[in-house]
Amino acid sequence: MPKILANGVELHYELTGPEGAPVIAFSNSLGTTLEMWDAQERVLSGSFRCLRYDTRGHGRSATTAPGFSVDDLAEDLNGLLDALGIRRAPVVGLSLGGMTGQALAILHPEKVDRLVLVATAAYLPPESLWRERAEMVQAQGMAAVADNVIQRWFTQPSQASEGAQATRRILLERIDPRGYANCCLAIGPMDLRPRLGAVRAPTLVISGAQDPATPIAMGEEIVSLVPGAEFVVVPDAAHLIAVERPEVLTGHIARFLGAGAGERHPSAVPGNREGDFQAGLANRKHVLGAEHVERSMKNAGAFAGPWQDFITRYAWGEIWGDDTLPWKTRSMIVLSITLALGKEEEFKLHLRPALKNGVTIDELRALLKQCAIYAGVPAANGAFRWAREVLGDELG
């Protein structure tokens, strides 16, 4: 169990992936350990060096006395990067980890190459709620909050899933109530909003559509304050998106980091088959859905297997991996071209992913009408019918 003394705190960490690859630093949420990033590490460690650590008071990291702030947690991560000789890295944080990431980007902008903020907030009142929660877990243990936490972290259909139950076990068995309580006391008075304008790292903010803990409005607030920040909403997700919707989140991270993670390891640049394939696979599963992609690859057989490899590496790795165009724009281009060419199967395949990438029903309607002018009324008629067949009552 590797540990490092960083900012005066003994932190447990894991560093996996190819030697010499660019590093991604992951910061965990309140009440979890570094294992919450397992799904992201499995995919991204083929092309990146993944640094995960337990926030102080969590898992195998030391519990310290109360009185520290979110800025202090950022200094923990800064000290860990320094101790490992990591000059600069993309930082991905969820909830408390996202607060840590914001503070690090404010305090040490030279350390943050890109910033991915997942299900988090810059301000999370009331402070009294956090004091009460801290007092509860110190008096009654983690069992006092476990059921409520799982209900807020996962949508109702996911609360009985293996991931949710594994998370509950970690909460009960591997989180020190004192460490949890002290982090609650750090969150209560936090207000990063006045300083977010100083963030210079390209920033992606991701919110769960059904997150009661840090709802969409809190993500939108961060976006309004961080210059040039992007915003994505993950459907059918509550708070712990990394566990509940791992492939969707991993796809967003891979896409966002694909064009801006500094010097790339050979496995992460075009020309390395395995690196290209893994990046493309993450993008492809994010857009089209893991079930569809896995079925297509399984059914390909020996004859079509090389074709699946080709489109995964080039269409999804190189083209969809190019960060120049937002994914919403790409979706609208795909729908326009498949409409114009009368490619019903491809149009239908990309229709629901377009909504996931941010295209609204109103924008879809306007797109089809615009295409009617340039591609012809019969083509648009067909597309309106295909949209109805796929989306049904969602169209109103």
Side-chain angles (χ1 to χ4, degrees), residues 34 105 150 189 244 289 334:
L34 63 81
I150 295 302
E244 185 172 29
V334 170

PDB file of all heavy atoms in Angstrom, residues 34 105 150 189 244 289 334:
ATOM      1  N   LEU A  34     -10.547   5.617  -3.278  1.00  0.00           N
ATOM      2  CA  LEU A  34     -10.064   5.718  -4.665  1.00  0.00           C
ATOM      3  C   LEU A  34     -10.684   4.673  -5.580  1.00  0.00           C
ATOM      4  O   LEU A  34     -10.704   4.842  -6.806  1.00  0.00           O
ATOM      5  CB  LEU A  34      -8.537   5.646  -4.702  1.00  0.00           C
ATOM      6  CG  LEU A  34      -7.814   4.371  -4.227  1.00  0.00           C
ATOM      7  CD1 LEU A  34      -7.774   3.283  -5.282  1.00  0.00           C
ATOM      8  CD2 LEU A  34      -6.393   4.720  -3.792  1.00  0.00           C
ATOM      9  N   ALA A 105      -7.091  24.400  -8.912  1.00  0.00           N
ATOM     10  CA  ALA A 105      -6.967  25.221 -10.122  1.00  0.00           C
ATOM     11  C   ALA A 105      -6.884  26.705  -9.778  1.00  0.00           C
ATOM     12  O   ALA A 105      -6.295  27.490 -10.535  1.00  0.00           O
ATOM     13  CB  ALA A 105      -8.148  24.960 -11.051  1.00  0.00           C
ATOM     14  N   ILE A 150     -26.976   6.440  -0.036  1.00  0.00           N
ATOM     15  CA  ILE A 150     -27.177   5.618  -1.238  1.00  0.00           C
ATOM     16  C   ILE A 150     -28.385   6.112  -2.026  1.00  0.00           C
ATOM     17  O   ILE A 150     -28.370   6.121  -3.268  1.00  0.00           O
ATOM     18  CB  ILE A 150     -27.325   4.130  -0.867  1.00  0.00           C
ATOM     19  CG1 ILE A 150     -26.011   3.613  -0.269  1.00  0.00           C
ATOM     20  CG2 ILE A 150     -27.717   3.295  -2.078  1.00  0.00           C
ATOM     21  CD1 ILE A 150     -24.801   3.761  -1.170  1.00  0.00           C
ATOM     22  N   PRO A 189     -18.532  25.677   5.316  1.00  0.00           N
ATOM     23  CA  PRO A 189     -18.268  27.113   5.082  1.00  0.00           C
ATOM     24  C   PRO A 189     -17.685  27.424   3.712  1.00  0.00           C
ATOM     25  O   PRO A 189     -17.421  28.598   3.410  1.00  0.00           O
ATOM     26  CB  PRO A 189     -17.254  27.435   6.177  1.00  0.00           C
ATOM     27  CG  PRO A 189     -16.504  26.154   6.383  1.00  0.00           C
ATOM     28  CD  PRO A 189     -17.509  25.059   6.179  1.00  0.00           C
ATOM     29  N   GLU A 244     -22.392   4.782 -11.159  1.00  0.00           N
ATOM     30  CA  GLU A 244     -23.699   4.462 -11.747  1.00  0.00           C
ATOM     31  C   GLU A 244     -23.677   4.465 -13.272  1.00  0.00           C
ATOM     32  O   GLU A 244     -24.300   3.615 -13.911  1.00  0.00           O
ATOM     33  CB  GLU A 244     -24.760   5.455 -11.248  1.00  0.00           C
ATOM     34  CG  GLU A 244     -26.160   5.091 -11.740  1.00  0.00           C
ATOM     35  CD  GLU A 244     -27.252   5.932 -11.111  1.00  0.00           C
ATOM     36  OE1 GLU A 244     -26.993   7.104 -10.748  1.00  0.00           O
ATOM     37  OE2 GLU A 244     -28.380   5.423 -10.972  1.00  0.00           O
ATOM     38  N   GLY A 289     -23.859   3.638 -26.966  1.00  0.00           N
ATOM     39  CA  GLY A 289     -24.271   2.746 -25.895  1.00  0.00           C
ATOM     40  C   GLY A 289     -23.446   1.475 -25.880  1.00  0.00           C
ATOM     41  O   GLY A 289     -23.181   0.878 -26.928  1.00  0.00           O
ATOM     42  N   VAL A 334     -24.121  14.648 -38.058  1.00  0.00           N
ATOM     43  CA  VAL A 334     -24.436  13.266 -38.419  1.00  0.00           C
ATOM     44  C   VAL A 334     -25.913  13.129 -38.810  1.00  0.00           C
ATOM     45  O   VAL A 334     -26.250  12.488 -39.821  1.00  0.00           O
ATOM     46  CB  VAL A 334     -24.093  12.312 -37.258  1.00  0.00           C
ATOM     47  CG1 VAL A 334     -24.640  10.914 -37.535  1.00  0.00           C
ATOM     48  CG2 VAL A 334     -22.586  12.246 -37.051  1.00  0.00           C
TER      49      VAL A 334
END
